[in-house]
Amino acid sequence: MIDKIESRAKLALGTVQFGMNYGVSNQSGQVGGCQLDEVMALAYDSGIKLFDTAPAYGDSERSLSAYIPNYNDIQIVTKTPHFPRKRANPKDLSEFKSTFERSLTNLQVDRVHGLLVHRGTDLLKPGAHSLWAAMELLKAIGKVSFIGASVYCPEELLKLLDIYSIDIVQLPLNILDQRFLQCG
């Protein structure tokens, strides 16, 4: 089933540390000031033009917005909030819409490259089709180029692909976690 997926893997820079203290081995806290300038310049000069952020990452979106005018060809992927209820409901949809608008405001843009459901399992709940429909509408009106989900295991991805026409997926892949490669 996964062999039907076209792979256009891109390296993105995660920006959670632009907005908050994050990471088990993080000794220096939130990245800011001159250090942030250096990180952005190095990333851009190294060909990284895709940046991953989220409203849940503290001030990350605001911090990133300062660099968008200087690096006009960078692409931003942001996320929805997590919806902790067992069933999606109208309150979730309202929160989704207001959070997305706040993200555009924080980023100082009128559109983003990608929008991911922060936890793919939020799309597997009863009633989640309304959330996906709202994301498709944002894509249709040009506020988002690609929609998808952040997933944490291959089984979750396969379930989502059976239900939705996902454009973009964020998944864990590193030297220690190769589950997605091992399953094909």
Side-chain angles (χ1 to χ4, degrees), residues 56-100:
Y57 297 171
D59 291 328
S60 171
E61 291 175 330
R62 280 193 192 100
S63 296
L64 189 55
S65 74
Y67 297 92
I68 293 172
N70 300 333
Y71 303 106
N72 61 6
D73 57 341
I74 68 171
Q75 298 172 326
I76 306 297
V77 174
T78 193
K79 299 180 183 76
T80 68
H82 167 54
F83 304 105
R85 295 168 198 80
K86 292 181 180 180
R87 177 177 200 71
N89 64 41
K91 187 176 181 180
D92 294 336
L93 193 54
S94 176
E95 183 181 355
F96 160 73
K97 290 176 181 177
S98 64
T99 301
F100 180 73

Short mmCIF file of all heavy atoms in Angstrom, two decimals, residues 56-100:
data_model
loop_
_atom_site.label_atom_id
_atom_site.label_comp_id
_atom_site.label_asym_id
_atom_site.label_seq_id
_atom_site.Cartn_x
_atom_site.Cartn_y
_atom_site.Cartn_z
N ALA A 56 1.60 25.40 19.12
CA ALA A 56 2.00 24.80 20.40
C ALA A 56 3.46 25.05 20.74
O ALA A 56 3.89 24.74 21.85
CB ALA A 56 1.72 23.30 20.37
N TYR A 57 4.22 25.62 19.82
CA TYR A 57 5.65 25.85 20.03
C TYR A 57 5.93 27.24 20.62
O TYR A 57 6.91 27.89 20.26
CB TYR A 57 6.43 25.71 18.72
CG TYR A 57 6.41 24.35 18.08
CD1 TYR A 57 6.94 24.18 16.80
CD2 TYR A 57 5.86 23.23 18.69
CE1 TYR A 57 6.94 22.95 16.18
CE2 TYR A 57 5.85 22.00 18.06
CZ TYR A 57 6.39 21.86 16.81
OH TYR A 57 6.38 20.64 16.18
N GLY A 58 5.10 27.72 21.50
CA GLY A 58 5.33 29.01 22.14
C GLY A 58 5.35 30.14 21.14
O GLY A 58 4.41 30.31 20.37
N ASP A 59 6.43 30.92 21.13
CA ASP A 59 6.57 32.07 20.24
C ASP A 59 7.26 31.73 18.92
O ASP A 59 7.72 32.63 18.21
CB ASP A 59 7.37 33.18 20.94
CG ASP A 59 6.60 33.80 22.09
OD1 ASP A 59 5.36 33.87 22.01
OD2 ASP A 59 7.25 34.22 23.07
N SER A 60 7.33 30.47 18.59
CA SER A 60 8.04 30.03 17.39
C SER A 60 7.55 30.72 16.12
O SER A 60 8.35 31.18 15.31
CB SER A 60 7.91 28.51 17.24
OG SER A 60 8.41 28.08 16.01
N GLU A 61 6.24 30.79 15.93
CA GLU A 61 5.72 31.41 14.71
C GLU A 61 6.09 32.88 14.63
O GLU A 61 6.50 33.37 13.57
CB GLU A 61 4.20 31.24 14.63
CG GLU A 61 3.78 29.80 14.40
CD GLU A 61 2.28 29.59 14.43
OE1 GLU A 61 1.56 30.33 15.16
OE2 GLU A 61 1.81 28.67 13.74
N ARG A 62 5.99 33.59 15.75
CA ARG A 62 6.37 35.01 15.76
C ARG A 62 7.87 35.17 15.48
O ARG A 62 8.27 36.07 14.74
CB ARG A 62 6.01 35.65 17.10
CG ARG A 62 4.56 36.02 17.22
CD ARG A 62 4.31 36.93 18.41
NE ARG A 62 2.90 37.04 18.66
CZ ARG A 62 2.24 36.36 19.59
NH1 ARG A 62 2.88 35.55 20.40
NH2 ARG A 62 0.94 36.52 19.75
N SER A 63 8.68 34.34 16.11
CA SER A 63 10.13 34.41 15.88
C SER A 63 10.47 34.17 14.42
O SER A 63 11.29 34.87 13.84
CB SER A 63 10.86 33.40 16.77
OG SER A 63 10.69 33.70 18.12
N LEU A 64 9.83 33.18 13.83
CA LEU A 64 10.08 32.83 12.43
C LEU A 64 9.63 33.94 11.49
O LEU A 64 10.25 34.19 10.45
CB LEU A 64 9.37 31.51 12.10
CG LEU A 64 9.66 30.85 10.78
CD1 LEU A 64 11.15 30.61 10.59
CD2 LEU A 64 8.90 29.53 10.69
N SER A 65 8.57 34.65 11.85
CA SER A 65 8.01 35.69 10.97
C SER A 65 9.03 36.80 10.66
O SER A 65 8.96 37.40 9.59
CB SER A 65 6.75 36.31 11.59
OG SER A 65 7.09 37.16 12.67
N ALA A 66 9.94 37.04 11.55
CA ALA A 66 10.94 38.08 11.32
C ALA A 66 11.86 37.75 10.15
O ALA A 66 12.48 38.65 9.58
CB ALA A 66 11.77 38.30 12.59
N TYR A 67 11.96 36.49 9.80
CA TYR A 67 12.89 36.07 8.74
C TYR A 67 12.22 35.88 7.39
O TYR A 67 12.90 35.80 6.37
CB TYR A 67 13.59 34.77 9.17
CG TYR A 67 14.42 35.02 10.40
CD1 TYR A 67 13.89 34.83 11.66
CD2 TYR A 67 15.71 35.53 10.29
CE1 TYR A 67 14.63 35.11 12.81
CE2 TYR A 67 16.45 35.82 11.43
CZ TYR A 67 15.91 35.61 12.67
OH TYR A 67 16.63 35.91 13.79
N ILE A 68 10.93 35.81 7.36
CA ILE A 68 10.22 35.56 6.11
C ILE A 68 10.48 36.65 5.07
O ILE A 68 10.76 36.34 3.91
CB ILE A 68 8.71 35.33 6.37
CG1 ILE A 68 8.54 34.01 7.14
CG2 ILE A 68 7.92 35.31 5.06
CD1 ILE A 68 7.14 33.74 7.64
N PRO A 69 10.48 37.93 5.43
CA PRO A 69 10.79 38.96 4.42
C PRO A 69 12.22 38.87 3.87
O PRO A 69 12.46 39.18 2.71
CB PRO A 69 10.59 40.28 5.16
CG PRO A 69 9.71 39.96 6.32
CD PRO A 69 10.06 38.54 6.70
N ASN A 70 13.17 38.43 4.70
CA ASN A 70 14.56 38.35 4.26
C ASN A 70 14.83 37.13 3.39
O ASN A 70 15.74 37.13 2.58
CB ASN A 70 15.48 38.30 5.48
CG ASN A 70 15.35 39.53 6.35
OD1 ASN A 70 15.00 40.60 5.86
ND2 ASN A 70 15.59 39.39 7.63
N TYR A 71 14.07 36.08 3.63
CA TYR A 71 14.23 34.83 2.88
C TYR A 71 12.90 34.53 2.21
O TYR A 71 12.15 33.66 2.63
CB TYR A 71 14.61 33.68 3.82
CG TYR A 71 15.87 33.95 4.64
CD1 TYR A 71 15.80 34.25 5.99
CD2 TYR A 71 17.12 33.88 4.04
CE1 TYR A 71 16.94 34.47 6.74
CE2 TYR A 71 18.27 34.11 4.77
CZ TYR A 71 18.18 34.41 6.12
OH TYR A 71 19.32 34.62 6.85
N ASN A 72 12.60 35.28 1.16
CA ASN A 72 11.26 35.25 0.59
C ASN A 72 10.85 33.94 -0.06
O ASN A 72 9.69 33.76 -0.39
CB ASN A 72 11.05 36.43 -0.37
CG ASN A 72 12.00 36.38 -1.55
OD1 ASN A 72 12.75 35.43 -1.73
ND2 ASN A 72 11.98 37.42 -2.34
N ASP A 73 11.76 33.02 -0.24
CA ASP A 73 11.37 31.74 -0.85
C ASP A 73 11.30 30.60 0.17
O ASP A 73 11.22 29.43 -0.21
CB ASP A 73 12.27 31.37 -2.02
CG ASP A 73 13.76 31.29 -1.65
OD1 ASP A 73 14.15 31.85 -0.61
OD2 ASP A 73 14.51 30.67 -2.42
N ILE A 74 11.31 30.93 1.46
CA ILE A 74 11.15 29.86 2.44
C ILE A 74 9.69 29.42 2.48
O ILE A 74 8.78 30.16 2.12
CB ILE A 74 11.65 30.24 3.85
CG1 ILE A 74 10.80 31.31 4.50
CG2 ILE A 74 13.10 30.66 3.82
CD1 ILE A 74 11.15 31.53 5.97
N GLN A 75 9.50 28.19 2.88
CA GLN A 75 8.17 27.60 2.97
C GLN A 75 7.89 27.22 4.42
O GLN A 75 8.75 26.68 5.10
CB GLN A 75 8.08 26.37 2.07
CG GLN A 75 8.32 26.69 0.61
CD GLN A 75 8.41 25.45 -0.24
OE1 GLN A 75 8.90 24.42 0.19
NE2 GLN A 75 7.93 25.54 -1.46
N ILE A 76 6.67 27.51 4.85
CA ILE A 76 6.29 27.26 6.23
C ILE A 76 5.24 26.16 6.29
O ILE A 76 4.26 26.17 5.54
CB ILE A 76 5.69 28.54 6.87
CG1 ILE A 76 6.63 29.73 6.73
CG2 ILE A 76 5.29 28.27 8.33
CD1 ILE A 76 7.94 29.60 7.43
N VAL A 77 5.46 25.21 7.19
CA VAL A 77 4.46 24.20 7.52
C VAL A 77 4.10 24.43 8.98
O VAL A 77 4.98 24.47 9.83
CB VAL A 77 5.00 22.77 7.32
CG1 VAL A 77 3.98 21.75 7.81
CG2 VAL A 77 5.34 22.52 5.86
N THR A 78 2.82 24.60 9.24
CA THR A 78 2.37 24.75 10.61
C THR A 78 1.35 23.66 10.91
O THR A 78 1.06 22.82 10.05
CB THR A 78 1.82 26.17 10.90
OG1 THR A 78 1.67 26.34 12.32
CG2 THR A 78 0.51 26.43 10.18
N LYS A 79 0.85 23.65 12.13
CA LYS A 79 0.00 22.55 12.56
C LYS A 79 -1.26 23.05 13.25
O LYS A 79 -1.34 24.20 13.67
CB LYS A 79 0.77 21.65 13.53
CG LYS A 79 2.01 21.03 12.90
CD LYS A 79 2.72 20.15 13.90
CE LYS A 79 3.98 19.58 13.33
NZ LYS A 79 5.04 20.57 13.27
N THR A 80 -2.20 22.14 13.38
CA THR A 80 -3.40 22.40 14.16
C THR A 80 -3.07 22.19 15.63
O THR A 80 -2.05 21.59 15.96
CB THR A 80 -4.53 21.41 13.80
OG1 THR A 80 -4.16 20.10 14.25
CG2 THR A 80 -4.81 21.39 12.31
N PRO A 81 -3.94 22.64 16.51
CA PRO A 81 -3.77 22.22 17.90
C PRO A 81 -4.14 20.74 18.02
O PRO A 81 -4.73 20.17 17.10
CB PRO A 81 -4.78 23.10 18.67
CG PRO A 81 -5.76 23.56 17.66
CD PRO A 81 -5.08 23.54 16.33
N HIS A 82 -3.80 20.13 19.13
CA HIS A 82 -4.25 18.77 19.43
C HIS A 82 -5.66 18.87 20.00
O HIS A 82 -5.96 19.76 20.78
CB HIS A 82 -3.32 18.10 20.43
CG HIS A 82 -3.86 16.84 21.01
ND1 HIS A 82 -4.31 15.79 20.24
CD2 HIS A 82 -4.04 16.46 22.29
CE1 HIS A 82 -4.73 14.82 21.03
NE2 HIS A 82 -4.58 15.21 22.29
N PHE A 83 -6.52 17.96 19.59
CA PHE A 83 -7.90 17.93 20.06
C PHE A 83 -8.06 16.71 20.97
O PHE A 83 -8.17 15.59 20.49
CB PHE A 83 -8.86 17.87 18.87
CG PHE A 83 -8.65 19.01 17.91
CD1 PHE A 83 -8.01 18.81 16.70
CD2 PHE A 83 -9.07 20.30 18.24
CE1 PHE A 83 -7.80 19.86 15.82
CE2 PHE A 83 -8.85 21.36 17.37
CZ PHE A 83 -8.22 21.13 16.16
N PRO A 84 -8.05 16.91 22.29
CA PRO A 84 -7.98 15.79 23.23
C PRO A 84 -9.28 14.99 23.43
O PRO A 84 -9.25 13.92 24.02
CB PRO A 84 -7.55 16.45 24.54
CG PRO A 84 -8.04 17.85 24.43
CD PRO A 84 -7.97 18.20 22.97
N ARG A 85 -10.39 15.51 22.93
CA ARG A 85 -11.65 14.80 23.14
C ARG A 85 -11.69 13.49 22.35
O ARG A 85 -11.03 13.38 21.33
CB ARG A 85 -12.83 15.69 22.75
CG ARG A 85 -12.97 16.91 23.64
CD ARG A 85 -13.96 17.90 23.01
NE ARG A 85 -13.83 19.22 23.56
CZ ARG A 85 -12.90 20.11 23.21
NH1 ARG A 85 -12.02 19.81 22.30
NH2 ARG A 85 -12.84 21.28 23.77
N LYS A 86 -12.50 12.56 22.82
CA LYS A 86 -12.61 11.26 22.14
C LYS A 86 -13.38 11.35 20.84
O LYS A 86 -13.27 10.47 19.99
CB LYS A 86 -13.28 10.24 23.06
CG LYS A 86 -12.42 9.88 24.25
CD LYS A 86 -13.10 8.85 25.11
CE LYS A 86 -12.20 8.51 26.29
NZ LYS A 86 -12.79 7.53 27.17
N ARG A 87 -14.14 12.41 20.68
CA ARG A 87 -14.96 12.60 19.49
C ARG A 87 -14.80 14.05 19.03
O ARG A 87 -14.86 14.97 19.84
CB ARG A 87 -16.41 12.31 19.84
CG ARG A 87 -17.38 12.53 18.74
CD ARG A 87 -18.79 12.13 19.19
NE ARG A 87 -19.68 11.88 18.10
CZ ARG A 87 -19.64 10.84 17.28
NH1 ARG A 87 -18.72 9.93 17.44
NH2 ARG A 87 -20.48 10.70 16.29
N ALA A 88 -14.57 14.26 17.74
CA ALA A 88 -14.47 15.62 17.21
C ALA A 88 -15.85 16.28 17.31
O ALA A 88 -16.87 15.62 17.12
CB ALA A 88 -14.00 15.59 15.77
N ASN A 89 -15.84 17.57 17.61
CA ASN A 89 -17.12 18.27 17.74
C ASN A 89 -16.99 19.70 17.21
O ASN A 89 -15.90 20.13 16.85
CB ASN A 89 -17.59 18.25 19.20
CG ASN A 89 -16.67 18.99 20.14
OD1 ASN A 89 -16.17 20.07 19.81
ND2 ASN A 89 -16.43 18.43 21.30
N PRO A 90 -18.09 20.46 17.16
CA PRO A 90 -18.03 21.83 16.63
C PRO A 90 -17.05 22.74 17.37
O PRO A 90 -16.47 23.64 16.76
CB PRO A 90 -19.47 22.33 16.79
CG PRO A 90 -20.31 21.09 16.73
CD PRO A 90 -19.48 20.03 17.42
N LYS A 91 -16.84 22.52 18.65
CA LYS A 91 -15.87 23.32 19.39
C LYS A 91 -14.46 23.11 18.83
O LYS A 91 -13.67 24.06 18.73
CB LYS A 91 -15.92 22.96 20.88
CG LYS A 91 -15.08 23.85 21.75
CD LYS A 91 -15.24 23.52 23.22
CE LYS A 91 -14.39 24.43 24.07
NZ LYS A 91 -14.52 24.16 25.48
N ASP A 92 -14.12 21.88 18.47
CA ASP A 92 -12.82 21.59 17.86
C ASP A 92 -12.67 22.34 16.55
O ASP A 92 -11.61 22.90 16.26
CB ASP A 92 -12.65 20.09 17.61
CG ASP A 92 -12.59 19.27 18.87
OD1 ASP A 92 -12.23 19.81 19.93
OD2 ASP A 92 -12.90 18.07 18.80
N LEU A 93 -13.71 22.34 15.74
CA LEU A 93 -13.67 23.02 14.45
C LEU A 93 -13.48 24.52 14.63
O LEU A 93 -12.69 25.15 13.93
CB LEU A 93 -14.95 22.72 13.66
CG LEU A 93 -14.94 23.08 12.20
CD1 LEU A 93 -13.77 22.46 11.46
CD2 LEU A 93 -16.25 22.65 11.56
N SER A 94 -14.16 25.09 15.59
CA SER A 94 -14.01 26.51 15.90
C SER A 94 -12.59 26.82 16.36
O SER A 94 -11.97 27.80 15.94
CB SER A 94 -15.03 26.92 16.96
OG SER A 94 -14.85 28.25 17.32
N GLU A 95 -12.07 25.97 17.24
CA GLU A 95 -10.69 26.15 17.73
C GLU A 95 -9.69 26.02 16.58
O GLU A 95 -8.73 26.77 16.49
CB GLU A 95 -10.39 25.12 18.82
CG GLU A 95 -9.02 25.28 19.41
CD GLU A 95 -8.70 24.24 20.48
OE1 GLU A 95 -9.58 23.43 20.84
OE2 GLU A 95 -7.55 24.22 20.93
N PHE A 96 -9.92 25.07 15.70
CA PHE A 96 -9.06 24.88 14.53
C PHE A 96 -9.01 26.16 13.69
O PHE A 96 -7.94 26.64 13.33
CB PHE A 96 -9.55 23.70 13.69
CG PHE A 96 -9.05 23.72 12.28
CD1 PHE A 96 -7.74 23.42 11.99
CD2 PHE A 96 -9.90 24.07 11.23
CE1 PHE A 96 -7.26 23.45 10.69
CE2 PHE A 96 -9.44 24.10 9.94
CZ PHE A 96 -8.12 23.79 9.66
N LYS A 97 -10.17 26.70 13.38
CA LYS A 97 -10.23 27.89 12.53
C LYS A 97 -9.55 29.08 13.17
O LYS A 97 -8.77 29.79 12.53
CB LYS A 97 -11.69 28.22 12.19
CG LYS A 97 -12.33 27.21 11.25
CD LYS A 97 -13.80 27.51 11.02
CE LYS A 97 -14.42 26.47 10.11
NZ LYS A 97 -15.87 26.70 9.93
N SER A 98 -9.82 29.34 14.45
CA SER A 98 -9.21 30.50 15.10
C SER A 98 -7.71 30.31 15.28
O SER A 98 -6.94 31.27 15.13
CB SER A 98 -9.90 30.78 16.45
OG SER A 98 -9.70 29.73 17.35
N THR A 99 -7.28 29.10 15.54
CA THR A 99 -5.84 28.84 15.69
C THR A 99 -5.12 29.03 14.37
O THR A 99 -4.02 29.61 14.32
CB THR A 99 -5.60 27.42 16.23
OG1 THR A 99 -6.26 27.29 17.48
CG2 THR A 99 -4.12 27.13 16.41
N PHE A 100 -5.72 28.57 13.28
CA PHE A 100 -5.08 28.75 11.97
C PHE A 100 -4.97 30.24 11.62
O PHE A 100 -3.91 30.69 11.17
CB PHE A 100 -5.84 28.00 10.87
CG PHE A 100 -5.22 28.17 9.52
CD1 PHE A 100 -4.02 27.54 9.22
CD2 PHE A 100 -5.80 28.99 8.57
CE1 PHE A 100 -3.41 27.71 7.97
CE2 PHE A 100 -5.21 29.17 7.33
CZ PHE A 100 -4.02 28.54 7.03
#
